[in-house]
Every structure is written in structure tokens, then in C-alpha cells.
Amino acid sequence: MKHRMLAGMVLAAALLIAPFGVAAASAAPPTGNVCADYSTGHIDPGPGVKQVTYTAPAGQVILAVCVKAGSAKQGLRPEAVTVPAGATRITFSHSSGKDIGHYSVLLGADPLACIEGWVDIDTRLNGRYECVETGLHVWTTDNSSQAKVSLGTVASFPLSQAGPLDLDWTGTTPAPGLNLFVNFGNGQTGTLVWEAAYGGDDLWLTQSGIDKGIEAPVVGGGSGSSHHGTLAQWSALYPNAQVYGIAFSLGSGVLGDGVIHAISAGGTVYDF
């Protein structure tokens, strides 16, 4: 994958990021005198070890952990460890405080492995996403104001070099839009949106940017807002503008369903 890893909290500081995860993992309490084999089989940490930190292999998450210490005659039967949803690393011990005799770990495929380096920007109550074989499946469950899915990642390139812009989509119409988070200079930041429905490389300014007084090359109809222009027009007006993040957005108010295969911006292909 060509995803760029998040560097610092630049994007998070500029935008509201809300977590959107999967349900917590659960497993039946261990029975008998030893842990179930699970995915790893029994792992013996060696003598004198009272606490273990386990890291899942790449692309997998931890679903359940069983830990055994002492003997069943002492009432020290195997215990299930509470595992947070989507955990890839966990530290655990036996409640008795005794040395760990063995442990085992149940592993599963990470349902969000394809979005490594991406964070939630504005995924709302009725927005959903999951990794599938062909890309990132995104959908909304109704067409209310809560129907929105938006994820983003840090980027760094001049606005003048943002093109060609593309979002490879198989699904309902309209397709998700592509957002560029731009530092226009003089302390002004705003979001430009590219949508295939408007053709070419027309980019429109969101309302927050309009409210900040950011000047647009064109003021008039024919785009997603009254303030818009081609990439060349925006670059001519703001020759030193820099893009510091990108995102996609399905909704709000759109009942949609489909798969994003890849996003192109700033000379980079972000494939899922």
C-alpha cells in the first residue's frame, strides 16, 4: 500500500476527528485446567514472568487471550483477559499475581487494515466503512444529516501540484468527494472539494472558508458552492498555497454505497 503514515497531529489539530471502531471482542470463559490452544497454541514465557506484552502479527488483531498461572488445585484456573476492540498489542498478567505458566492468543483479520495511516474526520452515526478485497467499502444507512463517512490523512504538496485529482469508485451516484485541506497563506486555512459530478478540475470552497473571507477565483453557480474555480485558477490566485491533508467524504444527507479503490492527489496514489 502507498498510504502515507500520519506525522504528528497536524491534521487532527485542524479538524474534528471522531473515532469509529468495531465492537469489543469477547470469548467464552476458559474451562478446564489449561488454556485453549487458540491461534498461537500454548506459549510458555519462561520462569519468573508475571506480566506479558503480546503484539499481533501485521494485518491481524487480538480477539481473545487466556492466561494460566499456578495450579488448579490452588484454585488458579485459566483466566480470560479483557481485550479492547481492534487491539493489536496488549499487556496482561494473572489476577493471582503469580508467575504465568502459559498463555494463548486468538487472532483474527484486522477489519480496518487497509486504512492504515488514515483517521476519521467526520464519520457520523449513520456512516459505515470496512476493508474488503477490492478496496474500502463505505456506505450510509439513510439520507439524514447523520449519513456521512469521511476519513483523511496527512499530505504535503503545493496546491499548484495537486492534480490530476481522481477518486476510483464503484457504487452509487454521487460518488464521494475529495477534500484538500489547504493553507492559503497569511494564516488562512480552508477546504477545497473536488467532485467528479462537476467535471474537470473544478474545486469549490466549503462554507467555513467562505465565512473566513477566503477569496475565490469564481463567484457564481455551476459548482458545489458559489465560490469555486479550476485548480489553475486557485493556484494563480494563491501561488504559495500548500495542501497539508486530504480526505474523502460520502454525504452528509446522501444514501450511498460503494467501494473506493484508490485516490489520486499531489502525484500520489493512495490505494486501499
Side-chain angles (χ1 to χ4, degrees):
M1 290 185 289
K2 300 176 184 175
H3 300 157
R4 294 186 175 183
M5 297 299 293
L6 285 171
M9 297 302 292
V10 177
L11 193 60
L15 302 159
L16 175 63
I17 296 175
F20 181 86
V22 294
S26 62
T31 58
N33 296 328
V34 297
C35 289
D37 284 345
Y38 283 164
S39 306
T40 61
H42 289 174
I43 299 175
D44 182 353
V49 176
K50 293 180 169 57
Q51 180 174 279
V52 167
T53 297
Y54 180 86
T55 302
Q60 294 189 299
V61 293
I62 301 167
L63 300 179
V65 176
C66 175
V67 58
K68 174 72 169 62
S71 69
K73 291 182 179 179
Q74 296 172 313
L76 301 175
R77 295 185 179 278
E79 295 179 347
V81 176
T82 300
V83 180
T88 58
R89 182 181 175 90
I90 189 168
T91 299
F92 58 89
S93 58
H94 195 274
S95 64
S96 67
K98 291 185 175 294
D99 294 354
I100 295 173
H102 67 260
Y103 66 92
S104 59
V105 182
L106 179 64
L107 299 168
D110 185 351
L112 300 179
C114 73
I115 57 170
E116 180 183 0
W118 293 71
V119 295
D120 277 308
I121 300 300
D122 189 12
T123 298
R124 301 179 189 173
L125 184 64
N126 298 328
R128 304 285 188 272
Y129 56 85
E130 65 180 356
C131 295
V132 295
E133 184 176 352
T134 56
L136 180 64
H137 178 207
V138 299
W139 72 102
T140 54
T141 59
D142 60 26
N143 60 356
S144 70
S145 62
Q146 291 299 309
K148 185 174 183 179
V149 185
S150 182
L151 295 148
T153 189
V154 166
S156 180
F157 51 84
L159 178 61
S160 61
Q161 297 178 21
L165 300 171
D166 188 45
L167 189 147
D168 187 1
W169 166 258
T170 301
T172 55
T173 302
L178 175 57
N179 297 350
L180 302 181
F181 305 119
V182 182
N183 183 343
F184 291 97
N186 298 320
Q188 287 187 309
T189 59
T191 302
L192 296 178
V193 182
W194 176 86
E195 293 181 288
Y198 297 108
D201 61 352
D202 184 80
L203 296 159
W204 55 270
L205 183 66
T206 62
Q207 187 60 49
S208 63
I210 297 173
D211 293 342
K212 291 176 183 177
I214 295 174
E215 183 182 353
V218 178
V219 178
S223 191
S225 83
S226 59
H227 292 57
H228 62 101
T230 66
L231 182 58
Q233 289 172 324
W234 281 106
S235 300
L237 188 59
Y238 298 98
N240 297 318
Q242 293 284 321
V243 176
Y244 62 88
I246 67 168
F248 70 81
S249 179
L250 176 66
S252 64
V254 172
L255 179 60
D257 191 333
V259 175
I260 301 174
H261 307 292
I263 291 173
S264 299
T268 297
V269 176
Y270 302 83
D271 59 81
F272 296 101

